[in-house]
Every structure is written in C-alpha cells, then in structure tokens.
Amino acid sequence: MESEVREFLSRKARDVPPQLEVPRSLGTLVRRRIVMNAVVAGTTVAAAVALAFLSLRGIGAAPGPIPIVPGTPPPACAFADLRATGSMEGAAGSREGSIVLTNRSAESCTLEGTPTIELLDASGPITSGVSFEPAPAGWEVAGSPEPTGWPVVTLGPADAASVRVRWSNWCPDGRAAPTWRVEIPGGAAVEVDGLETVFPPPCNGSAEPSGVEIGPFEPLPG
Amino acid sequence: MLTGKVDRLERSDESRIGELYLRHADAAVRLAYLLTGDAALAEDLVQDAFVRVAGRLARLRDPGAFDAYLRRTVVNLARSHLRRRKVERLYLQRARSEARPEASALTGSSLEDREPLWSALTRLSERQRSAIVLRFYEDLSEDQVADILKCRPGTVKSLVSRGLQAMRDEIRGEER
C-alpha cells in the first residue's frame, strides 16, 4: 500500500501545470507586506523609545532597566519559531495552568494579544460544547507591575512567553482529555505538548459548555 | 528615512522573491495541490506563502533553510484552509438540516474524479492527509513531519497508519 500511495502521489502531482512566470500580483502583495512590517516595527520602536523616556523621567508603571532598542526591531513570531508546552493543576473543580511558548529560532521575535485555542478529539476539532472566554494576565492577577513593553512580549532565542489558562466542566465524566492547539495571531496552529495528559476537570453539568478562559501573552515569570 | 529604507528593502526583497518563486513555486504548488485537491487554490496558497516568507527574508541566514521554511508555511496554510472549510461545511449542514453526500470531504476535488486512491485521500482528516503526503510524497522522516505538524513522532506514525487503513477500507468499499 505504501509504495502504491507513493507512486500515486508522485503521478498525481504532475497534474499541476508548471509555474512558468511570477504572478503579477505577487510583487504588489510583497511590497504591501514589507511596508506593513516596517510600520509595525516603527510603531514598536516608537513605543519602546517612549517607554524608556518615561521611565527615565520617573513616570510609568515599571521601574527597572531601560529597554535596549535594537537597530532592527524583531518581527512577529512565526509558528515555525515556537514550541508550545502546557501544564495544569486541579483547583476547586477546575484546572488552572499555563501554556508556555518557547522561541526555538536563532532570532528574536514578538508575541502580542491573546491566542486562539482549539480543542481536538479523535474526530478532529471540537466545534461545539466549549466556551472560550478572555482572562486577565497572570501579572494582573498577582498584582505585579506591568512587564516592560507589554502587551508586546519580545522573545530572544530560547526565551519563553506564557498564557494563563483555566478549564472547567468537561462532560461527561470519564471523557478523554482533548488535544490542545494554540493559534498565534496571524499564524498557524501549534499543538501543545503536555495538556493531553492532564486529568480533565469534573463535569458540573452537561447542559453548560466546558469553559476555557485564556489570558494574553505575557513574559514567563521568573 | 524610514521610507528610503523601505524602498531599498522593497527592491532587493522583491527581486529575491521573484527568483525564489521561479525556483521553488513548482514544488510548492504540487505539495499544496496534494494537500487540498484544488489546483487553483494551491496556486493562491503558495502565493500567500511567498508573501509571508518575503517578510522574513532578511532574517533567513541559511539559504538552504528557505525550502524547509516554505514547505512548513504551505502545509500550515493548507491545513488552516481545510479546517476553516470543514467548520463552514458543518455549519451549513446544521443550518440546512439535511445530510450531504461526503463525495469530497475536505477538498474541492471534482466529483467526476473517480481515481479510488485520490477519492480515499480526500476523505482523510487534514492531519492524516498532511502526514501521508509529507511522508510519501515529500519523503520526510517521521521526526521531520512531526516538526512540521507540531506533534510527536509517535503521533505521525499513528496518523499515517490510520490514514492508510482508512484509505484501504475506502477502496475496498468502492470495489464492492
């Protein structure tokens, strides 16, 4: 069967005509993307410079080292740069924990906003019976100072960001834990290692959906 | 100042992207076609992939990494597209409250396409299909496929095994 599939795919791929010229629209789209990246980078630089200036003047939320602004601001992290791991613990009938996204690339990149979470079972994405709600960041819950540069989280090589997660009411009791996938803004989805082995929260009522609360990206504490 | 810098970036990156397109687009479109079953969609996805990669060209130190990076981007764009279409189709099915024949479960492949293997491949889940195409068409190892699909190598083995079994069952069902 394997060799048959291999041969078939190789033959089937030749159904597609060769790409003999560069599409005209590609140039326009590339120009637009480069300009957009430059605008975002410029905005990030301006925000970081403003924050540094305000910190120097004694104004602003977080005292501490003045952020070093590199010559070329990092781009948004791509899914290929990131590895996602998660862990949760029981907490009064629900499960609380975090998803940690580690920058595996050799370059710095940034994360901002709140990711989209997807739960999957053996049939694929679970599209009903789950309610996704925003949650505050961990530093807000802990009453800690706002991290420098937040809501933009800059990850150097091997740096990590975290996302607070709270999960409740998984019905019926005994239902297997789902696979978790995190979709970063503007990018594709990354499967989260570790959450499929979490003991699911108890079912409090099948009439209500399972609740998943998701916080925004924030620097990994410690 | 920023405008000048952008202009210089635009010209050099644009011509680089053009060269890279002519060198790599064929392989990328064939991969996208096998993943989605739709040649026109495959071309759109690959164009989108090149636009995304264009934004990171300056930071790609190793030219050899471009191929792998493009492949990952194409696979993930195809999978995102298939997931969205599946959600849309489920929504429409519920809205219309009628059973639809699953002639082409995840792709835009033609209903007239009677190749049993093609039909069986199109009925797989997007994960199984991606794993099978990456293993048997791109000839990637389980570790390499796991890296692209962001899962464990054991999961890739399972996806491929179950996918092939599902294809066998589908073909046997058509032969009866």
Side-chain angles (χ1 to χ4, degrees):
Chain A
M1 182 74 178
E2 283 185 18
S3 58
E4 196 184 340
V5 168
R6 201 181 294 270
E7 202 182 296
F8 169 77
L9 290 173
S10 181
R11 180 170 45 82
K12 193 68 185 171
R14 292 195 285 271
D15 283 358
V16 178
Q19 307 298 301
L20 297 175
E21 53 184 33
V22 180
R24 278 187 206 154
S25 54
L26 184 64
T28 308
L29 293 169
V30 165
R31 270 195 296 276
R32 211 176 284 164
R33 171 63 65 116
I34 291 170
V35 168
M36 263 174 52
N37 284 353
V39 167
V40 167
T43 307
T44 307
V45 169
V49 168
L51 187 65
F53 177 69
L54 291 173
S55 296
L56 273 174
R57 293 278 302 266
I59 305 165
I66 297 167
I68 296 169
V69 177
T72 307
C77 297
F79 69 89
D81 299 334
L82 301 173
R83 178 167 180 259
T85 54
S87 61
M88 283 195 217
E89 292 175 346
S94 64
R95 301 289 177 261
E96 285 190 26
S98 60
I99 294 172
V100 174
L101 292 127
T102 305
N103 180 8
R104 307 187 306 168
S105 75
E107 307 288 344
S108 294
C109 63
T110 60
L111 291 169
E112 183 179 356
T114 302
T116 301
I117 299 290
E118 197 174 37
L119 303 185
L120 301 95
D121 60 17
S123 306
I126 299 170
T127 53
S128 62
V130 184
S131 162
F132 296 95
E133 301 290 338
W139 64 266
E140 290 177 300
V141 172
S144 305
E146 181 177 296
T148 306
W150 198 80
V152 177
V153 180
T154 300
L155 303 181
D159 282 350
S162 71
V163 171
R164 263 188 80 236
V165 182
R166 187 167 175 271
W167 181 30
S168 60
N169 194 39
W170 188 243
C171 296
D173 279 323
R175 185 179 178 188
T179 299
W180 291 64
R181 223 156 39 187
V182 58
E183 187 173 319
I184 58 174
V190 177
E191 194 169 300
V192 182
D193 286 335
L195 290 184
E196 69 283 1
T197 57
V198 165
F199 196 70
C203 176
N204 298 323
S206 54
E208 295 297 316
S210 180
V212 177
E213 293 169 41
I214 313 154
F217 294 112
E218 58 186 304
L220 188 65
Chain B
M1 202 164 60
L2 182 64
T3 313
K5 190 173 177 184
V6 168
D7 279 346
R8 284 194 295 278
L9 273 175
E10 282 179 21
R11 281 196 293 275
S12 67
D13 280 2
E14 234 185 284
S15 63
R16 260 184 92 189
I17 276 290
E19 286 163 18
L20 289 167
Y21 187 90
L22 292 173
R23 206 180 310 155
H24 296 277
D26 270 353
V29 172
R30 285 193 291 266
L31 172 61
Y33 172 60
L34 292 177
L35 291 172
T36 62
D38 185 330
L41 171 64
E43 288 181 6
D44 286 345
L45 290 180
V46 167
Q47 209 177 129
D48 193 7
F50 271 89
V51 172
R52 286 166 188 257
V53 166
R56 300 181 64 80
L57 263 187
R59 290 167 188 84
L60 213 59
R61 286 180 186 164
D62 174 15
F66 177 83
D67 205 33
Y69 195 82
L70 180 65
R71 183 194 294 127
R72 281 175 194 267
T73 308
V74 166
V75 169
N76 280 281
L77 286 174
R79 292 179 68 203
S80 290
H81 177 84
L82 292 175
R83 280 197 297 270
R84 275 198 304 276
R85 284 185 60 173
K86 187 175 182 187
V87 170
E88 286 164 10
R89 194 173 49 252
L90 286 172
Y91 173 77
L92 287 172
Q93 282 176 352
R94 278 199 294 273
R96 292 173 190 163
S97 299
E98 63 180 322
R100 291 176 59 184
E102 290 293 336
S104 162
L106 292 170
T107 75
S109 62
S110 163
L111 290 176
E112 279 90 50
D113 194 330
R114 294 293 177 202
E115 293 173 290
L117 271 175
W118 187 238
S119 175
L121 185 71
T122 62
R123 290 171 193 270
L124 297 180
S125 72
E126 49 90 5
R127 286 181 96 209
Q128 286 173 345
R129 183 172 181 161
S130 300
I132 284 177
V133 169
L134 290 172
R135 281 286 285 139
F136 298 128
Y137 176 69
E138 292 283 321
D139 268 330
L140 301 182
S141 66
E142 281 174 1
D143 281 353
Q144 288 172 312
V145 175
D147 199 38
I148 293 174
L149 298 186
K150 303 294 179 190
C151 63
R152 289 184 295 276
T155 306
V156 172
K157 201 185 201 78
S158 169
L159 287 169
V160 168
S161 165
R162 288 183 191 175
L164 288 177
Q165 186 58 51
M167 289 174 74
R168 275 187 212 100
D169 294 345
E170 176 75 23
I171 290 167
R172 275 191 219 120
E174 286 201 7
E175 282 169 355
R176 284 194 212 110

